[in-house]
Amino acid sequence: MFSKDTQILLCISSNVSEQENIRNLINGDRNCVFVKSEREALSLLKSRLRPSLILLDLDYPGNDYFALFSRLKSDPVLENTPVIILIPEDSGKEAFFLTIGAADVIRKPLAQEVLNRRIDNVINSQYVNDYLITKMYSYRDSLAEEHKKLVIYTKQIIKSLSSAIDAKDTYTNGHSVRVAEYACEIAEAMGYDDKMLEIIYQAGLLHDIGKIGVSDTVLRKPGELNEKEMAAIRQHPIIGHEILSSITEIPLISYGARWHHERYDGKGYPDGLKGDEIPLIPRIICVADAYDAMTSNRSYRRQLSPLEAREEILRNCGTQFDPEIGKIAASIIEKNISGEISFKNRETTFTSIFSPSNNKALYA
């Protein structure tokens, strides 16, 4: 199957006549190197000899072949080099050596055709194995690169969608990015790792995606909305959830879209969930969303200062907002106002592959 002129066989036998016997039996087109002792073998191997196969003759005393075999299999360079062990006809250790990693065990006396066929079988099997491993690593690297590109494309699509949503309403330009960043500040203060922060960031970017299904006339209307228009607006969490539910690998993103307008006291929409019935990510996004809404100019009211928005959040803890999350947000805002911390631009900071987390608390 493979050219024999590329094969190097290392034969370790302490008996010169047995070496000569093996030399005569092995086909002449193979490259064979013979040594008499463990010391000679290790010396050659240290000199960077890399045999295709090692023949280890156990028929003669004086060398600790088991120790040599163990060293060969534990060497990171030689651990995958196949070893065929030659044993006396009356030896009972055939199964033992196969169990500890010998590629084959051949009983003496040696027959020329049998010896060469079994050498061929072991070397060919090793070449196939090496080829498959090389291909596997090549495919793995290729898949990793393609996956990296896919992650980048996905993030770009998500960012484009969030920009498209904000563009429908001139008063909310940049709103989705700010909500995502504020939500991450809160989640980071709550102790979540970068992988979870990335999921929260994506959920924040897409929390208002359902507004794609709401009329521009309603979204851009100056002044307060009438009852019918308010009912249309209140459909956007349901629309957003329906859009994002198809992303089954990241279900938490759809949670943010559906429940970010729920209230801690149960008076929110669309499902009237109360307290811990509301999943954690929407509870975080709810506070971040409200803070950005309060500190942005809207057609129907002036923007509040960060300090005023902070007081509103504290005032509504336990009613509109989860009290723990509201207090954490208020602390972050206070530190930002004092200059102790600044809100981070997280758009390019995440490097992990976002996927469902093992942290079940986020589903709570």
Side-chain angles (χ1 to χ4, degrees):
M1 180 176 179
F2 295 95
S3 174
K4 293 184 177 62
D5 59 9
T6 63
Q7 299 174 8
I8 299 176
L9 308 186
L10 174 62
C11 179
I12 307 171
S13 176
S14 61
N15 186 279
V16 175
S17 62
E18 188 62 36
Q19 286 189 21
E20 190 62 29
N21 181 45
I22 294 171
R23 191 191 311 272
N24 291 333
L25 291 174
I26 290 178
N27 290 341
D29 53 359
R30 299 185 192 275
N31 297 315
C32 298
V33 178
F34 290 85
V35 295
K36 293 188 294 184
S37 68
E38 173 184 344
R39 183 177 57 80
E40 288 181 51
L42 292 175
S43 176
L44 276 175
L45 294 172
K46 286 180 181 177
S47 69
R48 308 188 74 81
L49 174 72
R50 294 296 175 261
S52 307
L53 180 143
I54 297 172
L55 287 174
L56 190 55
D57 179 17
L58 299 190
D59 201 7
Y60 298 94
N63 291 291
D64 189 348
Y65 289 119
F66 175 73
L68 174 59
F69 178 80
S70 299
R71 276 191 280 274
L72 291 174
K73 301 311 289 185
S74 62
D75 187 307
V77 176
L78 298 168
E79 61 180 347
N80 292 320
T81 302
V83 178
I84 293 180
I85 297 180
L86 310 178
I87 63 173
E89 187 175 13
D90 58 352
S91 173
K93 293 187 175 181
E94 183 174 9
F96 169 74
F97 281 110
L98 289 172
T99 300
I100 65 173
D104 201 353
V105 177
I106 305 176
R107 290 182 180 275
K108 297 180 181 180
L110 302 174
Q112 184 173 28
E113 185 176 356
V114 171
L115 177 62
N116 285 284
R117 286 285 181 90
R118 290 171 79 165
I119 288 174
D120 282 342
N121 288 343
V122 169
I123 291 179
N124 289 342
S125 294
Q126 187 64 35
Y127 279 147
V128 169
N129 185 62
D130 291 346
Y131 173 79
L132 291 175
I133 289 174
T134 301
K135 280 294 184 183
M136 180 189 72
Y137 283 125
S138 175
Y139 287 141
R140 184 197 64 179
D141 293 343
S142 177
L143 286 172
E145 185 61 31
E146 290 303 313
H147 191 269
K148 188 184 298 183
K149 291 178 183 177
L150 181 60
V151 169
I152 292 171
Y153 296 156
T154 303
K155 291 179 180 180
Q156 290 173 341
I157 290 169
I158 290 174
K159 180 67 186 304
S160 296
L161 283 172
S162 71
S163 298
I165 297 161
D166 291 347
K168 286 173 67 70
D169 184 350
T170 55
Y171 287 97
T172 60
N173 185 37
H175 169 70
S176 297
V177 171
R178 291 193 298 272
V179 170
E181 291 177 349
Y182 298 155
C184 280
E185 294 288 341
I186 296 169
E188 186 173 50
M190 295 173 71
Y192 290 104
D193 61 20
D194 283 349
K195 187 174 182 179
M196 300 321 314
L197 295 183
E198 182 169 8
I199 293 174
I200 291 168
Y201 186 83
Q202 309 303 334
L205 284 178
L206 295 176
H207 76 283
D208 269 343
I209 192 172
K211 286 184 177 178
I212 287 176
V214 179
S215 165
D216 289 356
T217 303
V218 173
L219 290 175
R220 295 176 179 176
K221 179 183 177 180
E224 294 188 12
L225 303 178
N226 61 37
E227 186 175 336
K228 183 178 179 181
E229 291 164 340
M230 183 58 70
I233 281 286
R234 290 191 171 192
Q235 286 299 304
H236 85 269
I238 297 173
I239 297 170
H241 180 259
E242 290 174 352
I243 292 171
L244 297 178
S245 289
S246 61
I247 307 177
T248 55
E249 290 300 308
I250 323 171
L252 299 177
I253 288 183
S254 67
Y255 291 8
R258 186 175 185 97
W259 293 304
H260 68 280
H261 281 297
E262 299 290 352
R263 291 172 52 106
Y264 199 74
D265 59 10
K267 296 180 181 179
Y269 65 91
D271 299 312
L273 301 183
K274 182 178 181 180
D276 291 346
E277 293 175 352
I278 308 167
L280 182 58
I281 284 182
R283 279 184 272 150
I284 293 172
I285 291 176
C286 174
V287 179
D289 186 33
Y291 176 73
D292 187 67
M294 287 188 285
T295 55
S296 301
N297 274 320
R298 295 295 170 95
S299 60
Y300 49 88
R301 59 149 178 80
R302 70 168 181 85
Q303 71 183 68
L304 302 182
S305 70
L307 182 60
E308 290 173 318
R310 176 183 179 275
E311 295 305 315
E312 280 296 309
I313 289 172
L314 287 174
R315 189 176 299 115
N316 286 280
C317 278
T319 53
Q320 183 176 355
F321 308 120
D322 179 311
E324 178 186 356
I325 295 173
K327 290 173 185 175
I328 290 172
S331 174
I332 293 170
I333 296 165
E334 182 178 19
K335 291 177 181 178
N336 180 255
I337 293 171
S338 68
E340 184 177 341
I341 63 170
S342 58
F343 294 133
K344 301 172 186 174
N345 180 347
R346 298 176 183 267
E347 183 177 354
T348 60
T349 59
F350 296 117
T351 58
S352 65
I353 298 172
F354 49 92
S355 59
S357 170
N358 291 326
N359 192 334
K360 301 302 181 184
L362 287 172
Y363 289 87

